[in-house]
Amino acid sequence: MKATQQMKGWKHSRTGLLVSIGGGAFGAFGVVKDIRKARSEGDTLKLVNAGIAALALVTSTALLVRELRRLGSDDVLAP
């Protein structure tokens, strides 16, 4: 049971947040690819979908950065 508790807390650790930001950055390559493909095909609906996905990535990255800042401010050893 202790291992499952550690895994639940890992998502909110500094390492977990950095991995999440990396995953979001990796997902950005897919969004850019989708936008280019939609433009070349002239498909407006796919372009809107890719734009919304890009906004979701920006929002999730901003939330993760905010969590990282909160972790940094809670650190007793932080200057």
Side-chain angles (χ1 to χ4, degrees):
M1 178 117 174
K2 186 177 181 181
T4 58
Q5 292 295 345
Q6 288 176 345
M7 290 303 292
K8 287 181 182 179
W10 184 79
K11 186 177 180 181
H12 296 289
S13 69
R14 181 176 295 272
T15 306
L17 291 172
L18 289 173
V19 168
S20 296
I21 290 173
F26 188 70
F29 290 114
V31 170
V32 169
K33 179 182 164 187
D34 290 345
I35 289 173
R36 287 182 181 165
K37 185 176 179 183
R39 281 187 178 171
S40 69
E41 294 175 356
D43 192 340
T44 305
L45 189 58
K46 285 184 181 180
L47 187 60
V48 169
N49 186 40
I52 291 171
L55 288 174
L57 278 172
V58 168
T59 304
S60 63
T61 303
L63 289 169
L64 290 169
V65 168
R66 183 176 70 181
E67 276 297 314
L68 276 175
R69 288 183 181 164
R70 284 185 182 167
L71 281 177
S73 67
D74 291 344
D75 191 3
V76 176
L77 299 176

